[in-house]
Amino acid sequence: QVQLVESGGGLVQAGGSLRLSCTASGSTFWFRTMGWYRQAPGNERELVASITSSGTTTYAASVKGRFTISTNNAKNTVYLQMNSLQPEDTAVYFCNNLQAVQWPWGQGTQVTVSS
């Protein structure tokens, strides 16, 4: 059973930065496309960034130029560097693969940006 554990969230002022981490135990993801998702209260979960096994990255328009996704395959970890954070980035952030059958979701990590 794959377990995803996200960490690194917190409370930050607008304009600040955070670095999120997500580690997968029970499987390796170096050959999968991995993504970071977020879900704000009352909203559906949305994909904000993804990275393929070859390192190709894709970002939602709302975060492009501010967020950077990366991986450390040796550590089975995917990261999300978030800069210039805005209040609208407030959400619970999750990671998962982008396959048709995804792994069980982790608990996520809360990011709160104050204005």
Side-chain angles (χ1 to χ4, degrees), residues 39-45:
Q39 186 168 21
N43 291 356
E44 293 197 355
R45 190 171 294 168

Side-chain angles (χ1 to χ4, degrees), residues 48-80:
V48 297
S50 64
I51 183 167
T52 69
S53 57
S54 60
T56 300
T57 56
T58 305
Y59 299 94
S62 58
V63 307
K64 196 169 186 177
R66 301 187 297 121
F67 290 10
T68 302
I69 186 172
S70 60
T71 58
N72 183 326
N73 293 329
K75 294 184 177 181
N76 222 33
T77 299
V78 57
Y79 304 98
L80 187 67

Side-chain angles (χ1 to χ4, degrees), residues 3 13 17 19-20 33 45 53 60 66 74 77 82 106 109 111:
Q3 184 176 15
Q13 289 188 329
S17 299
R19 189 193 192 206
L20 307 184
T33 297
R45 190 171 294 168
S53 57
R66 301 187 297 121
T77 299
M82 305 187 297
T109 186
V111 172

Side-chain angles (χ1 to χ4, degrees), residues 3-113:
Q3 184 176 15
L4 297 167
V5 179
E6 300 91 350
S7 62
L11 174 62
V12 64
Q13 289 188 329
S17 299
L18 286 173
R19 189 193 192 206
L20 307 184
S21 299
C22 172
T23 300
S25 61
S27 182
T28 55
F29 61 66
W30 64 268
F31 57 92
R32 307 174 193 269
T33 297
M34 292 295 297
W36 277 98
Y37 299 76
R38 68 185 181 188
Q39 186 168 21
N43 291 356
E44 293 197 355
R45 190 171 294 168
E46 62 170 341
L47 177 66
V48 297
S50 64
I51 183 167
T52 69
S53 57
S54 60
T56 300
T57 56
T58 305
Y59 299 94
S62 58
V63 307
K64 196 169 186 177
R66 301 187 297 121
F67 290 10
T68 302
I69 186 172
S70 60
T71 58
N72 183 326
N73 293 329
K75 294 184 177 181
N76 222 33
T77 299
V78 57
Y79 304 98
L80 187 67
Q81 177 67 44
M82 305 187 297
N83 299 328
S84 302
L85 284 162
Q86 299 301 316
E88 52 265 34
D89 295 317
T90 295
V92 180
Y93 285 71
F94 305 84
C95 74
N96 213 319
N97 66 67
L98 269 68
Q99 298 181 160
V101 179
Q102 294 182 298
W103 293 322
W105 293 90
Q107 82 288 350
T109 186
Q110 175 71 49
V111 172
T112 303
V113 185

